[in-house]
Every structure is written in C-alpha cells, then in structure tokens.
Amino acid sequence: MIHARGLARTFAGRGRGKEKEEVKAVAGVDIDVEKGEIVGFLGPNGAGKTTTLRMLTTLLKPTAGTATVAGFDVATQSQEVRRSIGYVSQSGSTSPEARAGEEIMDHGMLYGISQKQAEARGRELFEQLDLDGLWTREPRAMSGGQRRRLDIAMGLVHDPTLVFLDEPTTGLDPQARANLWTHISDLRVRLGSTVFLTTHYLDEADALCDRILVIDHGSIVASDTPDALKRQISGDLVELVVTDAAQAGAAAELLARIADTGVDTDTTSVSARVRGAGHEIPGLIRALDAASIELESIEVRRPTLDDVFLTLTGRSLREDA
Amino acid sequence: MFWRETYIVFRRQLRMALRNPAWVIIGLVQPILYLVLFGPLLEPIAGQLGAQNAYTLFVPGLLVQLGLFGALFAGFGLIAEWRAGVIEAERVTPASRTALLLGRILRDVLQLFVQGIVLIGLAFLFGLTGSILGMVFGLILTVLLGAACAAASNALALTTKSEDVMAPVLNSIALPVLLLSGILLPMTIGPQWLQVVSDFMPTKYIVNAIRELFTGDFFTITTMWGVIWTIVLFAAGLYVGTRTFRKENA
Ligand SMILES: Nc1ncnc2c1ncn2[C@@H]1O[C@H](COP(=O)(O)OP(=O)(O)O)[C@@H](O)[C@H]1O
Ligand SMILES: [Mg+2]
C-alpha cells in the first residue's frame, strides 16, 4: 500500500544569507506498509512524523526520494493518490463555526460524490463513530473526542482503502483515547482499511498497531512488531527491595548470577535485567532465603516500548510526552 | 468538475458568512454610513471640484474603497481556516486548487456586488444622477478590482499564515493607496508633486474611469486606462493567488 524509498524533506530555516540553517525534517526514510496492516509511526515531537505524512499524502513535495501510495506515484499521480486515501491531519479538518453534517457533505462532494451519496455516507459514518445527533452541531460545541471522531469521519467519507491518521488521540482524556482506539481497530474489521497512524504515545502504538516504525530526528531507527521490538531488549526488569540496606550488597551478588546486564543498587533497591525472569525468580527467592536476606518486595516488569526507545535513542519518550 | 468544485467551496463560504449576522450587518452598514455622514460634507464643494453632481464624484470613490478594502482583508478568514486544518483537508481532496481559491473569491465578490448595489441605490435617494449603464460598468470594474484584491489577500494569507504579519503589511499598503488614489477627493485639487506621485497609483485611474462612466463618458482615454488597469490587476491577482494555492503540491 505504501512503498517509500529514501524519502526526505529539508526546510529552509530562519535567518538570512549564509547563516540560514536548513532543517532536515525527514532525512531519507524507507517505508513499506502492506494491505490491511495497522502501522504506527512512533516518535517524539519534532521527529518528522507529520512531514513524512504530508509527503505521502501529496501535500508536500519531497526534496529527495520516491514513494508510491495505493499503487500510485505521489510525484506524478497525485490526483489518483488523493482519490485513494483519507487523511486526518493533526490540526483537524472543520471550521469551528460550520455545521458538522454540512462539513462532511461538502468534503465528500469535493471528491466528486453526489450530494445525496455524500449525505447518506456521512450519516452512516456518524452512526458508526458514535456521533448520532450531532449532524447540525458546530464543531466548537463538541468535545475533543467528538471533534476527533468527526475528523475521522471526514477522512472516510469517500471510502478510501488507505487512511492516514496524524496523532489521532493527542490531547484527549484516557477514556476518549481508549474509545477512539476501538474505532480505529474497527476500520480494518469493518472496511478492510489499511491504517497508517502517527503517535508519540507508547501505549497507543502498543495497543493499536501490528507494526511500529520508530522515528527519531528524521530517521527510522527501528521497525518491527511491538512484541519483537520489546524482545530486543535483553530481559525483564527485576527489582528487589530489601528490608535492611546492609544486605543490599549480598542481594546484588545473587541477582548478578542470573542477570543479563549489570546490577544497579540504590540503598535498599537492587535491579537488573533478566531474560526469562519468570523461570529464574523461584530459584532466586530460594537463594535469597537460604542467605537469610529479608525481602520487602519483588517486582518484575516486562520491557515496554519506552525501554525500546530508550535503548535505541538514549532518551526516554516519556519525558517530552 | 471545476465549476462544481468552485460552487461547493463558494456555497460553503457563503453559508457560513450568512450565518454570521455581524458580517451581513457591517457589510451593509458601512456604505450607508459613508453616504450619510460624509456625503453631505461633499455636496457644497462639488462645484469647486468640477462635478455637477457631488455623488457622481463620491460614489465611485466609495465603490473602489469597498472593492479595495473589503477584499484586501478577506485573507484573515483564510488564516483562521488554515489554522483549523480546513485548507489542508481540502487540498488532500482531488479538487482543483484554483477552485478552492475561486470559490472563496466569489463570496467576496458577491458581497462587494451587493454592497455596491445598496450604495448606488441609496445614493439615488441622496440625489445621484447619471448614466445607469455607466454605473453598471462602474460596478463591474469595482467587482473585478475586488476579485484581484481578494486573490492577492488570500495569497498573502497563505504565505504568511499569521495575522500579526499580515495586518501591518496590509495597513501599510492600504493607507497610501487610499490617500493617493483620489478615492475621497479627486487628485486634481492637489499640488503638482502630489499629482505626480499619484500617477503611479493604478487605482487612481480606476477611480477616475468609474467617475467618467457614472457621468456617461464611455469612450475616453481616462476610461480606457481604468479598464486596462482593472484587467491587469485582475489577471495579476488571480495569477498570484492560484500560484500560491498550487504551491507545495506534488
Ligand atoms: N513548514 C515547515 N517549515 C520549517 N520547518 C518545519 C516545517 N514543518 C516542520 N518543520 C520542522 O521539521 C521538524 C519535524 O516536524 P514534524 O514533521 O511536524 O514533526 P512531528 O510531526 O514528528 O512532531 C521539526 O523540527 C519542525 O520544526
Ligand atoms: Mg506532528
């Protein structure tokens, strides 16, 4: 559905003359998305997600590279690309003081659909996206979640086979986000759509996507299923908390025997990564017992996508999320 | 296809404008205020300015002013739309980029047309006399000028994407144009140097042409220059506008 090679975009920066600094927003990315996949484009703010999406949706000319989207070349067949895709931009798609139903009908009609068809399809989408009764409502009088669902309905009015969603849940409360996730998964179930979405939320990428492309500073640093990405991290994080700080050293020694990484000790807390922690923990506890080391607690954390991001880039995604 | 798309955009713009009572009221009250509050001042000195009827002098100026300023500030609405993501959403459809621009300009043109009719109609009550056909042609020139300004304004809006950048630019254009085009008073009463400066103002020729048209002088050099300048500005405005709307497209 999407095949991009060396796609790059440079912006002329601010400043004058020779001081002018170029911003390499996207520094040559390769992307392959197959039919029916839900693929997440994960990266911190400013990583180049929106810029990549705008190139794939014919809104922005790449400075280098090629891309075919839905079988058409974005550079030479932009009309065909536009007909085949839906795009829900980060900033929304409706005027705050327009009426929702009229916005979606006008949008559909710009795709060449008849007014009647556009209305029928619009009302159907309103029903599917829990927007019943909001047909004449103005977007400014809608909740954030409703507005976002309206944006998605707008992007679907012409039945595209491929949908681009730019940060679909940013700024929504947890409940609205979870609700939107269901609707996005439904797109594939109900319409067989291929979905390419960007997010800087790890849980979103984890919950929603078959495959994740991790982007940082304009380059893709990893691409795999969420599970495979997490498996790259060497082991689960095991954290022991001992009652007596004097026994921390002894506990660290025992943990080191099964650990795959160095052991971190912080007064009463001792932690390390352990591959297959589930198998190793019973033995560890017996050994701690035998050495009469008193444990206050033990915690095992599966690797998260944040750990993946941290390992790949040396920075945590959470800090700027 | 192209005209259908233009119509969809135009209809959407008009619908939203008509729902905003302030837009309708201000648009209609503006010309009325000028006529009622400024017209009487001009009446006693019309003879000195070389006009038989104060309103054949005054109404064309007001028309051009409406055409220039109403339309020049049209771009502000576009910035709001751009911020809401509407422009991007429309540009991702297969619709013609020119249609996206033209639909918007047509709304401004329609507004201008209605304002012009109200202005001229009302001026009759105040004592305007002249050639009806000339007034029709004058209104057409005004509308074309307005279309040019609206297109340029939309182009500027889409380039700057900021009201804070656009407002000073427009104001610094608007003021000299207003003062040097002889919109309120004909430039002929000014000193030589002021007249020479104003010779560089295309809009001065347009105002003068509309004044002659109002008095029924169709085939004069002045009228010809006014028509030429209107066509030149119209073509330039549309060219710049469409180019901006097409820019950045793959
Ligand atoms: N139109 C533009 N002009 C100049 N710089 C831009 C423009 N759009 C984006 N950038 C820059 O490109 C980088 C990537 O931006 P973006 O693609 O929006 O990131 P993301 O969507 O991942 O947050 C940022 O540094 C941003 O400032
Ligand atoms: Mg973005």
Side-chain angles (χ1 to χ4, degrees), chain A:
Chain A
M1 269 308 208
I2 305 174
H3 299 284
R5 287 293 169 270
L7 206 57
R9 173 73 201 202
T10 313
F11 288 109
R14 288 176 205 285
R16 277 167 209 294
K18 292 219 165 72
E19 292 160 43
K20 208 152 153 178
E21 208 179 302
E22 288 196 330
V23 181
K24 233 180 184 175
V26 178
V29 295
D30 297 345
I31 297 172
D32 289 286
V33 174
E34 298 309 323
K35 197 172 172 355
E37 275 191 305
I38 297 184
V39 174
F41 207 28
L42 176 71
N45 282 326
K49 304 182 295 291
T50 300
T51 306
T52 308
L53 234 57
R54 295 185 70 226
M55 287 192 282
L56 293 175
T57 53
T58 76
L59 291 170
L60 194 64
K61 268 198 185 102
T63 33
T66 58
T68 58
V69 171
F72 302 105
D73 189 318
V74 290
T76 58
Q77 297 172 298
S78 49
Q79 286 296 89
E80 287 83 355
V81 172
R82 287 182 194 136
R83 257 181 252 284
S84 328
I85 62 167
Y87 172 58
V88 178
S89 86
Q90 197 171 349
S91 46
S93 55
T94 54
S95 279
E97 58 281 330
R99 288 184 189 161
E102 289 167 349
E103 288 290 77
I104 199 171
M105 278 170 63
D106 282 347
H107 197 63
M109 288 171 72
L110 284 181
Y111 279 99
I113 304 172
S114 77
Q115 179 151 352
K116 236 195 193 127
Q117 259 181 307
E119 170 159 14
R121 181 71 184 126
R123 289 197 185 272
E124 193 182 358
L125 283 165
F126 268 47
E127 201 177 302
Q128 288 171 3
L129 289 164
D130 293 333
L131 290 168
D132 315 75
L134 299 184
W135 188 257
T136 55
R137 180 82 63 91
E138 296 173 358
R140 65 174 160 200
M142 290 185 177
S143 74
Q146 290 170 334
R147 242 190 336 260
R148 220 54 190 124
R149 293 202 299 274
L150 173 61
D151 289 334
I152 293 180
M154 296 270 289
L156 295 176
V157 67
H158 57 298
D159 293 307
T161 47
L162 168 63
V163 189
F164 291 91
L165 306 171
D166 198 0
E167 312 240 358
T169 68
T170 298
L172 299 184
D173 57 76
Q175 216 173 344
R177 288 179 61 207
N179 170 281
L180 208 55
W181 290 353
T182 344
H183 286 299
I184 295 172
S185 321
D186 272 2
L187 289 184
R188 170 168 53 188
V189 179
R190 194 146 39 195
L191 307 167
S193 305
T194 309
V195 181
F196 190 65
L197 66 93
T198 78
T199 181
H200 64 266
Y201 294 120
L202 298 150
D203 52 346
E204 181 158 296
D206 214 351
L208 212 49
C209 303
D210 306 320
R211 216 149 51 74
I212 296 174
L213 309 178
V214 183
I215 182 169
D216 189 37
H217 293 312
S219 302
I220 292 181
V221 291
S223 155
D224 219 325
T225 64
D227 284 336
L229 282 174
K230 284 183 262 182
R231 269 199 301 275
Q232 289 179 2
I233 303 291
S234 35
D236 310 321
L237 187 71
V238 175
E239 187 183 11
L240 308 173
V241 179
V242 294
T243 328
D244 182 0
Q247 292 186 318
E253 240 168 73
L254 290 173
L255 182 57
R257 288 185 198 164
I258 57 166
D260 294 285
T261 61
V263 179
D264 290 327
T265 311
D266 179 19
T267 60
T268 58
S269 149
V270 179
S271 60
R273 291 211 171 267
V274 178
R275 225 184 284 264
H279 286 289
E280 304 289 348
I281 293 289
L284 175 65
I285 290 182
R286 274 196 300 277
L288 287 164
D289 236 10
S292 9
I293 297 170
E294 200 174 321
L295 273 189
E296 187 164 284
S297 69
I298 179 165
E299 201 179 335
V300 180
R301 267 204 300 121
R302 308 266 316 137
T304 64
L305 280 177
D306 193 38
D307 298 323
V308 176
F309 195 79
L310 187 68
T311 322
L312 288 169
T313 66
R315 285 175 297 118
S316 167
L317 249 185
R318 284 189 207 286
E319 284 161 25
D320 49 11

Side-chain angles (χ1 to χ4, degrees), chain B residues 15 28 67 130 132 147 206 220 239:
Chain B
R15 187 199 290 137
L28 293 180
I132 300 287
I206 301 175
T220 66
Y239 173 74

